[in-house]
Amino acid sequence: MAKTLIFLGPPGAGKGTQAQRLVEEKGFVQLSTGDILREAVKKGTELGKKAKEYMEAGKLVPDDLIIAIIEEKLKELEGKDIILDGFPRTIPQAEALDRMLPAVGRTLDKVILFDLSDEEILRRLTGRRVDPKTGKVYHIEFNPPPEGVEVIQREDDREEVIRKRLEVYHQQTAPLIEYYRNQNKLFVVDASKSPDEVYKEILSVI
């Protein structure tokens, strides 16, 4: 049976990097809610049209609609190993996902929690700089820009913005940790290690 994984963790913990590697090396499909919603809107499906109304009004797309759109997507991906990234974000979404997966012939295999302290996240994200000409991303500590390259800090990499995102994460998403721990599905990886070490840890879990 195809694998179904969930990546949980705060912004900046490296979920996207590791998901990309599983996509390239192991043939997984990475599903982020934002991408799925945008794709449904672009295709103009019935569900996509409904989602578009909410998005254009600047409202959050309701859980039942998100679940229906994800269900539609999973039917297309029958037999493929998938990673859900950025979903579920809340307990009601997790409960809805539990009900939906059997309908598409799947079970949830593992939930991988990327464990990283708030301070380390701030260090990673506030240090990011972008070259506005090329879009290349640097880091003042880990990967400084070459001399003569002028870089800027993006709005969403400012400390106060990141603190706000972390606050939302802890309020909404942290309860999911207990939810999946109680289902014996939760596996914790130390996201402060090097990307290669984190990847090895993930492979040993899945």
Side-chain angles (χ1 to χ4, degrees), residues 47-205:
L47 295 168
K49 284 175 191 160
K50 284 183 191 165
K52 188 180 181 188
E53 286 172 22
Y54 284 98
M55 287 155 86
E56 283 182 346
K59 293 178 181 167
L60 283 177
V61 179
D63 286 357
D64 56 349
L65 189 52
I66 290 178
I67 283 284
I69 289 174
I70 289 176
E71 186 172 352
E72 203 173 53
K73 185 70 185 168
L74 291 183
K75 282 176 183 159
E76 284 174 31
L77 294 170
E78 198 182 334
K80 298 250 190 213
D81 293 332
I82 62 159
I83 301 160
L84 286 167
D85 176 10
F87 185 88
R89 285 182 191 272
T90 60
I91 299 284
Q93 286 181 357
E95 290 168 344
L97 183 66
D98 284 348
R99 291 191 295 273
M100 182 262 279
L101 285 174
V104 292
R106 286 184 179 267
T107 53
L108 177 60
D109 294 281
K110 306 268 164 69
V111 177
I112 296 174
L113 174 65
F114 287 68
D115 191 30
L116 197 62
S117 71
D118 285 4
E119 289 321 302
E120 183 57 31
I121 287 162
L122 280 165
R123 193 170 140 225
R124 282 186 185 184
L125 296 184
T126 56
R128 281 203 298 213
R129 296 291 183 274
V130 182
D131 177 347
K133 291 196 188 103
T134 63
K136 195 164 165 35
V137 180
Y138 297 97
H139 192 284
I140 47 176
E141 198 176 333
F142 311 124
N143 176 26
E147 227 172 293
V149 172
E150 289 197 16
V151 291
I152 55 164
Q153 184 181 40
R154 285 189 303 216
E155 276 304 313
D156 53 359
D157 287 337
R158 296 187 188 283
E159 184 172 339
E160 58 276 21
V161 177
I162 293 159
R163 285 198 185 277
K164 188 76 197 133
R165 284 169 69 197
L166 285 171
E167 206 179 297
V168 171
Y169 167 76
H170 289 305
Q171 280 168 357
Q172 285 190 346
T173 314
L176 287 172
I177 296 168
E178 276 315 297
Y179 180 82
Y180 287 121
R181 190 173 272 138
N182 292 337
Q183 290 187 10
N184 293 322
K185 297 259 169 87
L186 189 79
F187 293 82
V188 182
V189 297
D190 179 356
S192 68
K193 291 181 176 174
S194 75
D196 283 346
E197 287 174 304
V198 174
Y199 186 63
K200 268 195 199 125
E201 226 174 298
I202 291 170
L203 290 182
S204 71
V205 165

Side-chain angles (χ1 to χ4, degrees), residues 5-35:
L5 307 176
I6 289 173
F7 276 9
L8 265 191
K15 301 186 295 297
T17 305
Q18 297 298 338
Q20 218 25 62
R21 199 156 164 189
L22 284 174
V23 167
E24 285 162 16
E25 294 180 18
K26 302 291 175 191
F28 273 80
V29 177
Q30 180 187 6
L31 293 178
S32 92
T33 327
D35 291 347

